[in-house]
Amino acid sequence: MQIPAELRERFARARRVLVLTGAGVSAESGVPTFRGGGNSAVWRGMPFDVISSAEMVERDLPAVWEWFDYRRNLLAELNPNPAHYEIARWQERFAEFTLVTQNVDGLHQKAGSRKMIELHGNIWRARCTACDTAYSMVQERRPDACFECGDLLRPDVVLFGEMLPPGAFELAAACASQCELCFVVGTSALVYPAAALPEIAKAAGAYVVEVNPERTPLSSLCDEVLTGKAGEVLPLFQR
Ligand SMILES: NC(=O)c1ccc[n+]([C@@H]2O[C@H](COP(=O)([O-])OP(=O)(O)OC[C@H]3O[C@@H](n4cnc5c(N)ncnc54)[C@H](O)[C@@H]3O)[C@@H](O)[C@H]2O)c1
Ligand SMILES: [Zn+2]
């Protein structure tokens, strides 16, 4: 595959770029995508959307932690792939660069991306159920309780039945409405409101590019569809 000349030109002169990523950007790192089996997982007889729900945090927080500790342990072994590294390079390359991710796996950070809008939180953070203080679990082990108020901690991840973090979508939407070039990488574009971001960008005049081995409901809206794996397609922009 080659990057089409028009896109290459736009990429070379763009100042404001937004990238939206989904589970597909981590597929080549070994993280199962949602549709690729990630959502059919069962933990102790409970389907994914039951154990990862707001209701379960109320009912059985230790079970939720067991499930998230287990997932963090699996993720600890995995590494970023060339797509994560390429996206990390783009933060230096453009005057204004916004990374918006639906992923919770922390692989963008591991690849060197410093600033991003995490629409669904991060599996490497815990947060106090009472005062919202956040705790990183990248280097540290998980605290038993909040150091500020002593209350219970929960995963800092958006669970089924929960709202997005306050302000996260609004900020992403504002960036989308100002970007010139918008990349949609590895998302099935079925989960709203994330899927609205490329629509906002397009409506505001941005050139929208999809990177995905399969067509999605967004493909027809895009100015360019790069059919392929993120880890193979994105590094082509270096050349
Ligand atoms: N890594 C993670 O953190 C992770 C993993 C699974 C699910 N989730 C959550 O599940 C929800 C599902 O939505 P979604 O759209 O992110 O994922 P999704 O599973 O619905 O869609 C994944 C998309 O990635 C594409 N894809 C597969 N391999 C690819 C590759 N190598 N390169 C590029 N694209 C590839 C698929 O064709 C599909 O369109 C999200 O809300 C997300 O928070 C996160
Ligand atoms: Zn607290």
Side-chain angles (χ1 to χ4, degrees):
M1 118 127 44
Q2 281 201 341
I3 305 299
E6 173 167 11
L7 174 54
R8 207 169 259 294
E9 233 168 78
R10 286 178 183 271
F11 185 82
R13 46 165 217 265
R15 296 178 42 80
R16 294 182 303 278
V17 175
L18 180 134
V19 175
L20 169 67
T21 64
V25 80
S26 295
E28 290 156 88
S29 294
V31 186
T33 60
F34 210 53
R35 296 189 309 163
N39 68 334
S40 53
V42 171
W43 174 249
R44 298 233 221 101
M46 281 179 278
F48 183 86
D49 58 345
V50 172
I51 186 68
S52 296
S53 68
E55 203 195 333
M56 195 54 86
V57 167
E58 300 285 324
R59 192 146 41 105
D60 193 349
L61 188 52
V64 173
W65 270 122
E66 234 181 278
W67 160 242
F68 275 92
D69 290 346
Y70 166 77
R71 287 176 63 200
R72 263 197 344 277
N73 277 331
L74 293 181
L75 284 170
E77 307 296 319
L78 304 182
N79 292 308
N81 68 61
H84 296 107
Y85 288 116
E86 186 61 23
I87 292 168
R89 278 193 279 274
W90 291 3
Q91 71 195 344
E92 319 294 351
R93 180 171 183 138
F94 300 103
E96 283 173 46
F97 180 74
T98 310
L99 172 58
V100 184
T101 188
Q102 300 170 81
N103 294 346
V104 300
D105 56 33
L107 288 173
H108 281 304
Q109 288 89 343
K110 214 171 176 177
S113 284
R114 291 182 303 274
K115 234 178 71 188
M116 74 204 65
I117 301 174
E118 294 175 318
L119 293 176
H120 295 157
N122 193 308
I123 199 164
W124 295 97
R125 264 194 327 264
R127 148 176 127 235
C128 178
T129 52
C131 74
D132 279 347
T133 301
Y135 297 90
S136 169
M137 298 178 285
V138 175
Q139 308 280 348
E140 321 281 323
R141 61 175 283 280
R142 172 161 68 81
D144 294 321
C146 179
F147 297 135
E148 300 296 327
C149 76
D151 221 312
L152 294 173
L153 302 181
R154 54 160 287 171
D156 193 10
V157 165
V158 177
L159 303 174
F160 287 90
E162 292 187 320
M163 313 270 284
L164 301 191
F169 178 76
E170 291 73 7
L171 180 58
C175 295
S177 71
Q178 280 159 29
C179 72
E180 299 154 72
L181 189 53
C182 170
F183 286 87
V184 189
V185 185
T187 175
S188 61
L190 295 170
V191 183
Y192 274 83
L197 294 171
E199 292 168 356
I200 292 169
K202 176 74 186 173
Y207 196 80
V208 181
V209 182
E210 178 171 66
V211 180
N212 200 310
E214 289 175 29
R215 283 190 74 84
T216 76
L218 273 182
S219 303
S220 55
L221 166 140
C222 292
D223 296 288
E224 196 64 69
V225 176
L226 302 175
T227 306
K229 294 181 174 179
E232 294 170 6
V233 172
L234 293 183
L236 297 176
F237 281 91
Q238 279 173 55
R239 278 182 272 126

